[in-house]
Amino acid sequence: DKPLSIYIFSENVQDRNRIIENTSCGGICVNDTMAHVAVEALPFGGVGPSGMGSYHGKYSFDTFVHKKSCLTKDFNPIGEKLAASRYPPYSESKLSFLSTLLKKRQGINLHFLPYVLMFGIGVASTLIVSTLLKRRMK
């Protein structure tokens, strides 16, 4: 009645949209399987018998206005080449690449920002001084 996930394999956008808009489910993954579970930005959970969300406060509201996750794979040649490591046979290089991709990322490291700013100020100062000297020579 209300599945936890629906997997659609189609390059026809109208067919995909018709299914996405007219079904009630936990999540949808287009042209792939299980990849939507790995995307931390997408909610994962069911609707109705396939699993209810959380309750109390804001979570109650979120439960009753379920956000349906939808991941679409577009068969981009570069993306397909990068994603090829997901499929067997697995080698050490494939496993190393996968573990690098799946590492939890921290935010942008800003420890180098003062150096970049100082470099930018130096370049700007050099340009301003050279422009002023050229004007003075004329």
Side-chain angles (χ1 to χ4, degrees), residues 1-9 16 19-39 41-48 50-52 66-72:
D1 185 32
K2 294 182 184 277
L4 179 60
S5 297
I6 293 178
Y7 302 103
I8 304 168
F9 292 89
R16 292 187 326 212
I19 294 169
I20 291 167
E21 292 167 3
N22 293 300
T23 57
S24 178
C25 62
I28 296 175
C29 193
V30 179
N31 296 327
D32 204 336
T33 59
M34 298 302 295
H36 66 296
V37 177
V39 180
L42 293 176
F44 186 80
V47 176
S50 68
M52 300 298 270
H66 178 75
K67 297 175 186 173
K68 180 177 7 179
S69 62
C70 182
L71 177 86
T72 301

mmCIF file of all heavy atoms in Angstrom, residues 1-9 16 19-39 41-48 50-52 66-72:
data_model
loop_
_atom_site.group_PDB
_atom_site.id
_atom_site.type_symbol
_atom_site.label_atom_id
_atom_site.label_comp_id
_atom_site.label_asym_id
_atom_site.label_seq_id
_atom_site.Cartn_x
_atom_site.Cartn_y
_atom_site.Cartn_z
ATOM 1 N N ASP A 1 0.829 -1.201 0.000
ATOM 2 C CA ASP A 1 0.000 0.000 0.000
ATOM 3 C C ASP A 1 0.868 1.257 0.000
ATOM 4 O O ASP A 1 0.696 2.121 -0.833
ATOM 5 C CB ASP A 1 -0.933 -0.040 1.204
ATOM 6 C CG ASP A 1 -1.909 1.116 1.209
ATOM 7 O OD1 ASP A 1 -2.297 1.570 0.121
ATOM 8 O OD2 ASP A 1 -2.281 1.537 2.311
ATOM 9 N N LYS A 2 1.786 1.362 0.949
ATOM 10 C CA LYS A 2 2.699 2.509 1.030
ATOM 11 C C LYS A 2 4.102 1.965 1.289
ATOM 12 O O LYS A 2 4.509 1.789 2.428
ATOM 13 C CB LYS A 2 2.278 3.461 2.136
ATOM 14 C CG LYS A 2 0.953 4.143 1.876
ATOM 15 C CD LYS A 2 0.623 5.111 2.998
ATOM 16 C CE LYS A 2 -0.730 5.725 2.789
ATOM 17 N NZ LYS A 2 -0.706 6.855 1.899
ATOM 18 N N PRO A 3 4.866 1.719 0.220
ATOM 19 C CA PRO A 3 6.182 1.100 0.392
ATOM 20 C C PRO A 3 7.190 2.028 1.056
ATOM 21 O O PRO A 3 7.056 3.251 1.005
ATOM 22 C CB PRO A 3 6.605 0.770 -1.036
ATOM 23 C CG PRO A 3 5.856 1.737 -1.883
ATOM 24 C CD PRO A 3 4.554 1.985 -1.167
ATOM 25 N N LEU A 4 8.198 1.418 1.659
ATOM 26 C CA LEU A 4 9.281 2.193 2.255
ATOM 27 C C LEU A 4 10.045 2.937 1.158
ATOM 28 O O LEU A 4 10.366 4.107 1.290
ATOM 29 C CB LEU A 4 10.225 1.276 3.033
ATOM 30 C CG LEU A 4 11.423 1.939 3.698
ATOM 31 C CD1 LEU A 4 10.970 2.991 4.696
ATOM 32 C CD2 LEU A 4 12.288 0.890 4.386
ATOM 33 N N SER A 5 10.332 2.266 0.056
ATOM 34 C CA SER A 5 11.062 2.872 -1.063
ATOM 35 C C SER A 5 10.493 2.389 -2.383
ATOM 36 O O SER A 5 10.005 1.271 -2.486
ATOM 37 C CB SER A 5 12.539 2.478 -1.016
ATOM 38 O OG SER A 5 13.145 2.961 0.137
ATOM 39 N N ILE A 6 10.601 3.259 -3.390
ATOM 40 C CA ILE A 6 10.241 2.886 -4.757
ATOM 41 C C ILE A 6 11.475 3.139 -5.614
ATOM 42 O O ILE A 6 12.118 4.185 -5.501
ATOM 43 C CB ILE A 6 9.062 3.729 -5.289
ATOM 44 C CG1 ILE A 6 7.784 3.404 -4.538
ATOM 45 C CG2 ILE A 6 8.870 3.491 -6.788
ATOM 46 C CD1 ILE A 6 6.595 4.236 -4.969
ATOM 47 N N TYR A 7 11.804 2.173 -6.456
ATOM 48 C CA TYR A 7 12.933 2.304 -7.365
ATOM 49 C C TYR A 7 12.392 2.349 -8.790
ATOM 50 O O TYR A 7 11.761 1.411 -9.245
ATOM 51 C CB TYR A 7 13.908 1.134 -7.179
ATOM 52 C CG TYR A 7 14.406 1.062 -5.761
ATOM 53 C CD1 TYR A 7 13.901 0.130 -4.878
ATOM 54 C CD2 TYR A 7 15.355 1.971 -5.308
ATOM 55 C CE1 TYR A 7 14.339 0.084 -3.567
ATOM 56 C CE2 TYR A 7 15.796 1.938 -3.996
ATOM 57 C CZ TYR A 7 15.289 0.989 -3.128
ATOM 58 O OH TYR A 7 15.717 0.960 -1.840
ATOM 59 N N ILE A 8 12.631 3.462 -9.470
ATOM 60 C CA ILE A 8 12.136 3.664 -10.829
ATOM 61 C C ILE A 8 13.326 3.627 -11.778
ATOM 62 O O ILE A 8 14.322 4.312 -11.555
ATOM 63 C CB ILE A 8 11.437 5.037 -10.975
ATOM 64 C CG1 ILE A 8 10.316 5.194 -9.957
ATOM 65 C CG2 ILE A 8 10.932 5.232 -12.396
ATOM 66 C CD1 ILE A 8 9.792 6.612 -9.864
ATOM 67 N N PHE A 9 13.212 2.827 -12.820
ATOM 68 C CA PHE A 9 14.248 2.788 -13.844
ATOM 69 C C PHE A 9 13.625 3.232 -15.159
ATOM 70 O O PHE A 9 12.906 2.482 -15.806
ATOM 71 C CB PHE A 9 14.840 1.374 -13.961
ATOM 72 C CG PHE A 9 15.632 0.997 -12.745
ATOM 73 C CD1 PHE A 9 15.014 0.379 -11.673
ATOM 74 C CD2 PHE A 9 16.979 1.300 -12.669
ATOM 75 C CE1 PHE A 9 15.732 0.055 -10.537
ATOM 76 C CE2 PHE A 9 17.710 0.975 -11.546
ATOM 77 C CZ PHE A 9 17.083 0.355 -10.476
ATOM 78 N N ARG A 16 8.512 9.210 -15.054
ATOM 79 C CA ARG A 16 9.089 9.313 -13.704
ATOM 80 C C ARG A 16 8.292 10.291 -12.853
ATOM 81 O O ARG A 16 7.937 9.988 -11.713
ATOM 82 C CB ARG A 16 10.544 9.769 -13.781
ATOM 83 C CG ARG A 16 11.448 8.750 -14.400
ATOM 84 C CD ARG A 16 12.898 9.095 -14.330
ATOM 85 N NE ARG A 16 13.255 10.494 -14.415
ATOM 86 C CZ ARG A 16 14.369 10.944 -14.957
ATOM 87 N NH1 ARG A 16 15.235 10.101 -15.479
ATOM 88 N NH2 ARG A 16 14.644 12.226 -14.993
ATOM 89 N N ILE A 19 4.887 8.941 -11.675
ATOM 90 C CA ILE A 19 5.009 8.011 -10.543
ATOM 91 C C ILE A 19 5.336 8.767 -9.259
ATOM 92 O O ILE A 19 4.721 8.535 -8.219
ATOM 93 C CB ILE A 19 6.087 6.938 -10.838
ATOM 94 C CG1 ILE A 19 5.642 6.052 -11.995
ATOM 95 C CG2 ILE A 19 6.365 6.100 -9.597
ATOM 96 C CD1 ILE A 19 6.736 5.143 -12.527
ATOM 97 N N ILE A 20 6.284 9.691 -9.322
ATOM 98 C CA ILE A 20 6.712 10.451 -8.133
ATOM 99 C C ILE A 20 5.550 11.251 -7.553
ATOM 100 O O ILE A 20 5.329 11.270 -6.338
ATOM 101 C CB ILE A 20 7.903 11.382 -8.483
ATOM 102 C CG1 ILE A 20 9.144 10.543 -8.775
ATOM 103 C CG2 ILE A 20 8.168 12.371 -7.360
ATOM 104 C CD1 ILE A 20 10.283 11.319 -9.416
ATOM 105 N N GLU A 21 4.783 11.916 -8.411
ATOM 106 C CA GLU A 21 3.705 12.783 -7.952
ATOM 107 C C GLU A 21 2.466 12.023 -7.490
ATOM 108 O O GLU A 21 1.666 12.554 -6.733
ATOM 109 C CB GLU A 21 3.324 13.762 -9.065
ATOM 110 C CG GLU A 21 4.425 14.772 -9.365
ATOM 111 C CD GLU A 21 4.190 15.536 -10.667
ATOM 112 O OE1 GLU A 21 3.147 15.325 -11.320
ATOM 113 O OE2 GLU A 21 5.088 16.317 -11.034
ATOM 114 N N ASN A 22 2.302 10.785 -7.928
ATOM 115 C CA ASN A 22 1.065 10.066 -7.635
ATOM 116 C C ASN A 22 1.236 8.872 -6.706
ATOM 117 O O ASN A 22 0.352 8.015 -6.649
ATOM 118 C CB ASN A 22 0.412 9.610 -8.944
ATOM 119 C CG ASN A 22 -0.064 10.793 -9.755
ATOM 120 O OD1 ASN A 22 -0.890 11.570 -9.296
ATOM 121 N ND2 ASN A 22 0.468 10.957 -10.948
ATOM 122 N N THR A 23 2.341 8.799 -6.006
ATOM 123 C CA THR A 23 2.526 7.702 -5.049
ATOM 124 C C THR A 23 2.849 8.257 -3.682
ATOM 125 O O THR A 23 3.411 9.343 -3.547
ATOM 126 C CB THR A 23 3.659 6.752 -5.470
ATOM 127 O OG1 THR A 23 4.861 7.499 -5.616
ATOM 128 C CG2 THR A 23 3.336 6.035 -6.756
ATOM 129 N N SER A 24 2.480 7.512 -2.669
ATOM 130 C CA SER A 24 2.818 7.858 -1.296
ATOM 131 C C SER A 24 3.762 6.771 -0.789
ATOM 132 O O SER A 24 3.382 5.598 -0.728
ATOM 133 C CB SER A 24 1.555 7.917 -0.436
ATOM 134 O OG SER A 24 1.898 8.216 0.898
ATOM 135 N N CYS A 25 4.989 7.167 -0.486
ATOM 136 C CA CYS A 25 5.990 6.199 -0.047
ATOM 137 C C CYS A 25 7.028 6.923 0.796
ATOM 138 O O CYS A 25 7.016 8.142 0.899
ATOM 139 C CB CYS A 25 6.651 5.536 -1.251
ATOM 140 S SG CYS A 25 7.527 6.706 -2.288
ATOM 141 N N GLY A 26 7.937 6.148 1.363
ATOM 142 C CA GLY A 26 8.993 6.740 2.173
ATOM 143 C C GLY A 26 9.983 7.528 1.340
ATOM 144 O O GLY A 26 10.364 8.628 1.699
ATOM 145 N N GLY A 27 10.421 6.984 0.239
ATOM 146 C CA GLY A 27 11.395 7.646 -0.613
ATOM 147 C C GLY A 27 11.416 7.016 -1.982
ATOM 148 O O GLY A 27 10.903 5.920 -2.196
ATOM 149 N N ILE A 28 12.025 7.725 -2.913
ATOM 150 C CA ILE A 28 12.106 7.244 -4.289
ATOM 151 C C ILE A 28 13.546 7.388 -4.755
ATOM 152 O O ILE A 28 14.203 8.383 -4.474
ATOM 153 C CB ILE A 28 11.174 8.048 -5.220
ATOM 154 C CG1 ILE A 28 9.720 7.839 -4.808
ATOM 155 C CG2 ILE A 28 11.387 7.659 -6.676
ATOM 156 C CD1 ILE A 28 8.732 8.677 -5.583
ATOM 157 N N CYS A 29 14.019 6.412 -5.484
ATOM 158 C CA CYS A 29 15.346 6.466 -6.090
ATOM 159 C C CYS A 29 15.167 6.157 -7.569
ATOM 160 O O CYS A 29 14.604 5.132 -7.925
ATOM 161 C CB CYS A 29 16.267 5.461 -5.409
ATOM 162 S SG CYS A 29 17.994 5.707 -5.814
ATOM 163 N N VAL A 30 15.628 7.066 -8.418
ATOM 164 C CA VAL A 30 15.439 6.919 -9.862
ATOM 165 C C VAL A 30 16.754 6.484 -10.505
ATOM 166 O O VAL A 30 17.789 7.110 -10.290
ATOM 167 C CB VAL A 30 14.951 8.245 -10.489
ATOM 168 C CG1 VAL A 30 14.779 8.103 -11.982
ATOM 169 C CG2 VAL A 30 13.645 8.700 -9.836
ATOM 170 N N ASN A 31 16.691 5.408 -11.273
ATOM 171 C CA ASN A 31 17.821 4.860 -12.024
ATOM 172 C C ASN A 31 18.983 4.412 -11.147
ATOM 173 O O ASN A 31 20.134 4.446 -11.559
ATOM 174 C CB ASN A 31 18.308 5.846 -13.093
ATOM 175 C CG ASN A 31 17.251 6.105 -14.136
ATOM 176 O OD1 ASN A 31 16.464 5.220 -14.456
ATOM 177 N ND2 ASN A 31 17.195 7.312 -14.640
ATOM 178 N N ASP A 32 18.687 4.015 -9.929
ATOM 179 C CA ASP A 32 19.691 3.477 -9.020
ATOM 180 C C ASP A 32 18.954 2.772 -7.900
ATOM 181 O O ASP A 32 17.734 2.876 -7.791
ATOM 182 C CB ASP A 32 20.574 4.591 -8.458
ATOM 183 C CG ASP A 32 21.936 4.074 -8.005
ATOM 184 O OD1 ASP A 32 22.046 2.878 -7.693
ATOM 185 O OD2 ASP A 32 22.877 4.874 -7.966
ATOM 186 N N THR A 33 19.678 2.041 -7.075
ATOM 187 C CA THR A 33 19.062 1.416 -5.911
ATOM 188 C C THR A 33 19.890 1.729 -4.682
ATOM 189 O O THR A 33 21.119 1.789 -4.744
ATOM 190 C CB THR A 33 18.988 -0.122 -6.061
ATOM 191 O OG1 THR A 33 20.309 -0.619 -6.229
ATOM 192 C CG2 THR A 33 18.121 -0.527 -7.225
ATOM 193 N N MET A 34 19.245 1.978 -3.599
ATOM 194 C CA MET A 34 19.826 2.187 -2.286
ATOM 195 C C MET A 34 20.718 3.421 -2.150
ATOM 196 O O MET A 34 21.171 3.730 -1.076
ATOM 197 C CB MET A 34 20.616 0.953 -1.816
ATOM 198 C CG MET A 34 19.763 -0.289 -1.663
ATOM 199 S SD MET A 34 18.402 -0.089 -0.501
ATOM 200 C CE MET A 34 19.279 0.145 1.024
ATOM 201 N N ALA A 35 21.001 4.146 -3.206
ATOM 202 C CA ALA A 35 21.880 5.315 -3.116
ATOM 203 C C ALA A 35 21.250 6.402 -2.260
ATOM 204 O O ALA A 35 21.955 7.156 -1.583
ATOM 205 C CB ALA A 35 22.203 5.854 -4.503
ATOM 206 N N HIS A 36 19.922 6.514 -2.256
ATOM 207 C CA HIS A 36 19.260 7.569 -1.490
ATOM 208 C C HIS A 36 19.458 7.384 0.009
ATOM 209 O O HIS A 36 19.396 8.345 0.768
ATOM 210 C CB HIS A 36 17.783 7.647 -1.851
ATOM 211 C CG HIS A 36 16.970 6.457 -1.455
ATOM 212 N ND1 HIS A 36 17.185 5.202 -1.994
ATOM 213 C CD2 HIS A 36 15.957 6.321 -0.577
ATOM 214 C CE1 HIS A 36 16.329 4.348 -1.454
ATOM 215 N NE2 HIS A 36 15.574 5.010 -0.600
ATOM 216 N N VAL A 37 19.737 6.167 0.464
ATOM 217 C CA VAL A 37 19.978 5.929 1.889
ATOM 218 C C VAL A 37 21.303 6.562 2.307
ATOM 219 O O VAL A 37 21.451 7.031 3.427
ATOM 220 C CB VAL A 37 19.993 4.408 2.186
ATOM 221 C CG1 VAL A 37 20.312 4.137 3.629
ATOM 222 C CG2 VAL A 37 18.661 3.789 1.811
ATOM 223 N N ALA A 38 22.274 6.602 1.400
ATOM 224 C CA ALA A 38 23.601 7.120 1.724
ATOM 225 C C ALA A 38 23.679 8.643 1.690
ATOM 226 O O ALA A 38 24.645 9.214 2.179
ATOM 227 C CB ALA A 38 24.621 6.533 0.755
ATOM 228 N N VAL A 39 22.685 9.310 1.125
ATOM 229 C CA VAL A 39 22.708 10.772 1.035
ATOM 230 C C VAL A 39 22.130 11.345 2.321
ATOM 231 O O VAL A 39 20.929 11.280 2.562
ATOM 232 C CB VAL A 39 21.911 11.266 -0.201
ATOM 233 C CG1 VAL A 39 21.945 12.779 -0.285
ATOM 234 C CG2 VAL A 39 22.459 10.650 -1.468
ATOM 235 N N ALA A 41 21.579 14.272 3.329
ATOM 236 C CA ALA A 41 20.683 15.420 3.230
ATOM 237 C C ALA A 41 19.243 15.015 2.934
ATOM 238 O O ALA A 41 18.338 15.827 3.072
ATOM 239 C CB ALA A 41 21.186 16.375 2.158
ATOM 240 N N LEU A 42 19.017 13.767 2.513
ATOM 241 C CA LEU A 42 17.662 13.305 2.212
ATOM 242 C C LEU A 42 17.081 12.580 3.416
ATOM 243 O O LEU A 42 17.761 11.765 4.031
ATOM 244 C CB LEU A 42 17.676 12.348 1.016
ATOM 245 C CG LEU A 42 18.054 12.922 -0.333
ATOM 246 C CD1 LEU A 42 18.117 11.816 -1.383
ATOM 247 C CD2 LEU A 42 17.062 13.988 -0.760
ATOM 248 N N PRO A 43 15.816 12.846 3.754
ATOM 249 C CA PRO A 43 15.201 12.098 4.854
ATOM 250 C C PRO A 43 14.973 10.651 4.446
ATOM 251 O O PRO A 43 14.758 10.359 3.274
ATOM 252 C CB PRO A 43 13.869 12.821 5.067
ATOM 253 C CG PRO A 43 13.574 13.489 3.770
ATOM 254 C CD PRO A 43 14.903 13.823 3.152
ATOM 255 N N PHE A 44 15.048 9.743 5.411
ATOM 256 C CA PHE A 44 14.783 8.339 5.118
ATOM 257 C C PHE A 44 13.830 7.811 6.168
ATOM 258 O O PHE A 44 14.073 7.926 7.360
ATOM 259 C CB PHE A 44 16.060 7.502 5.109
ATOM 260 C CG PHE A 44 15.813 6.087 4.670
ATOM 261 C CD1 PHE A 44 15.684 5.784 3.332
ATOM 262 C CD2 PHE A 44 15.680 5.072 5.593
ATOM 263 C CE1 PHE A 44 15.444 4.492 2.905
ATOM 264 C CE2 PHE A 44 15.439 3.770 5.182
ATOM 265 C CZ PHE A 44 15.322 3.482 3.839
ATOM 266 N N GLY A 45 12.734 7.277 5.732
ATOM 267 C CA GLY A 45 11.735 6.725 6.636
ATOM 268 C C GLY A 45 10.482 6.431 5.848
ATOM 269 O O GLY A 45 10.355 6.807 4.694
ATOM 270 N N GLY A 46 9.580 5.734 6.490
ATOM 271 C CA GLY A 46 8.392 5.289 5.784
ATOM 272 C C GLY A 46 7.173 6.136 6.050
ATOM 273 O O GLY A 46 7.196 7.106 6.795
ATOM 274 N N VAL A 47 6.078 5.731 5.405
ATOM 275 C CA VAL A 47 4.770 6.351 5.571
ATOM 276 C C VAL A 47 3.792 5.229 5.875
ATOM 277 O O VAL A 47 3.820 4.187 5.228
ATOM 278 C CB VAL A 47 4.336 7.074 4.270
ATOM 279 C CG1 VAL A 47 2.942 7.642 4.388
ATOM 280 C CG2 VAL A 47 5.313 8.170 3.913
ATOM 281 N N GLY A 48 2.915 5.440 6.842
ATOM 282 C CA GLY A 48 1.919 4.420 7.167
ATOM 283 C C GLY A 48 2.551 3.135 7.669
ATOM 284 O O GLY A 48 3.474 3.175 8.477
ATOM 285 N N SER A 50 4.693 1.177 6.505
ATOM 286 C CA SER A 50 6.114 0.955 6.250
ATOM 287 C C SER A 50 6.997 1.678 7.253
ATOM 288 O O SER A 50 8.211 1.587 7.199
ATOM 289 C CB SER A 50 6.488 1.369 4.822
ATOM 290 O OG SER A 50 6.390 2.764 4.656
ATOM 291 N N GLY A 51 6.408 2.416 8.177
ATOM 292 C CA GLY A 51 7.203 3.064 9.226
ATOM 293 C C GLY A 51 6.781 4.492 9.445
ATOM 294 O O GLY A 51 6.738 5.275 8.527
ATOM 295 N N MET A 52 6.458 4.805 10.662
ATOM 296 C CA MET A 52 6.046 6.165 11.002
ATOM 297 C C MET A 52 7.265 6.969 11.438
ATOM 298 O O MET A 52 8.241 6.413 11.909
ATOM 299 C CB MET A 52 5.013 6.145 12.135
ATOM 300 C CG MET A 52 3.752 5.375 11.757
ATOM 301 S SD MET A 52 2.904 6.107 10.362
ATOM 302 C CE MET A 52 1.832 7.222 11.195
ATOM 303 N N HIS A 66 5.047 14.539 5.590
ATOM 304 C CA HIS A 66 6.206 13.745 5.170
ATOM 305 C C HIS A 66 6.914 14.325 3.952
ATOM 306 O O HIS A 66 6.289 14.632 2.937
ATOM 307 C CB HIS A 66 5.762 12.317 4.855
ATOM 308 C CG HIS A 66 6.886 11.459 4.376
ATOM 309 N ND1 HIS A 66 7.849 10.967 5.217
ATOM 310 C CD2 HIS A 66 7.216 11.032 3.143
ATOM 311 C CE1 HIS A 66 8.718 10.265 4.526
ATOM 312 N NE2 HIS A 66 8.346 10.291 3.257
ATOM 313 N N LYS A 67 8.230 14.506 4.088
ATOM 314 C CA LYS A 67 9.058 14.938 2.969
ATOM 315 C C LYS A 67 9.535 13.686 2.256
ATOM 316 O O LYS A 67 10.214 12.857 2.830
ATOM 317 C CB LYS A 67 10.255 15.741 3.471
ATOM 318 C CG LYS A 67 9.874 17.015 4.163
ATOM 319 C CD LYS A 67 11.091 17.693 4.738
ATOM 320 C CE LYS A 67 10.690 18.889 5.561
ATOM 321 N NZ LYS A 67 11.818 19.470 6.266
ATOM 322 N N LYS A 68 9.164 13.560 1.014
ATOM 323 C CA LYS A 68 9.531 12.380 0.238
ATOM 324 C C LYS A 68 10.873 12.636 -0.437
ATOM 325 O O LYS A 68 11.011 13.568 -1.221
ATOM 326 C CB LYS A 68 8.448 12.103 -0.800
ATOM 327 C CG LYS A 68 8.715 10.901 -1.652
ATOM 328 C CD LYS A 68 7.633 10.542 -2.667
ATOM 329 C CE LYS A 68 6.519 11.468 -2.846
ATOM 330 N NZ LYS A 68 5.536 11.061 -3.845
ATOM 331 N N SER A 69 11.869 11.828 -0.121
ATOM 332 C CA SER A 69 13.168 11.996 -0.770
ATOM 333 C C SER A 69 13.121 11.408 -2.171
ATOM 334 O O SER A 69 12.411 10.445 -2.427
ATOM 335 C CB SER A 69 14.261 11.323 0.058
ATOM 336 O OG SER A 69 14.027 9.938 0.156
ATOM 337 N N CYS A 70 13.862 12.024 -3.070
ATOM 338 C CA CYS A 70 13.899 11.541 -4.454
ATOM 339 C C CYS A 70 15.293 11.791 -5.016
ATOM 340 O O CYS A 70 15.748 12.929 -5.084
ATOM 341 C CB CYS A 70 12.847 12.264 -5.289
ATOM 342 S SG CYS A 70 12.814 11.681 -6.994
ATOM 343 N N LEU A 71 15.999 10.729 -5.380
ATOM 344 C CA LEU A 71 17.322 10.825 -5.977
ATOM 345 C C LEU A 71 17.223 10.334 -7.413
ATOM 346 O O LEU A 71 16.717 9.250 -7.661
ATOM 347 C CB LEU A 71 18.322 9.952 -5.196
ATOM 348 C CG LEU A 71 19.727 9.918 -5.773
ATOM 349 C CD1 LEU A 71 20.514 11.106 -5.236
ATOM 350 C CD2 LEU A 71 20.415 8.636 -5.423
ATOM 351 N N THR A 72 17.689 11.139 -8.369
ATOM 352 C CA THR A 72 17.616 10.767 -9.778
ATOM 353 C C THR A 72 19.016 10.634 -10.351
ATOM 354 O O THR A 72 19.822 11.554 -10.235
ATOM 355 C CB THR A 72 16.841 11.835 -10.587
ATOM 356 O OG1 THR A 72 15.536 11.951 -10.046
ATOM 357 C CG2 THR A 72 16.753 11.469 -12.049
#
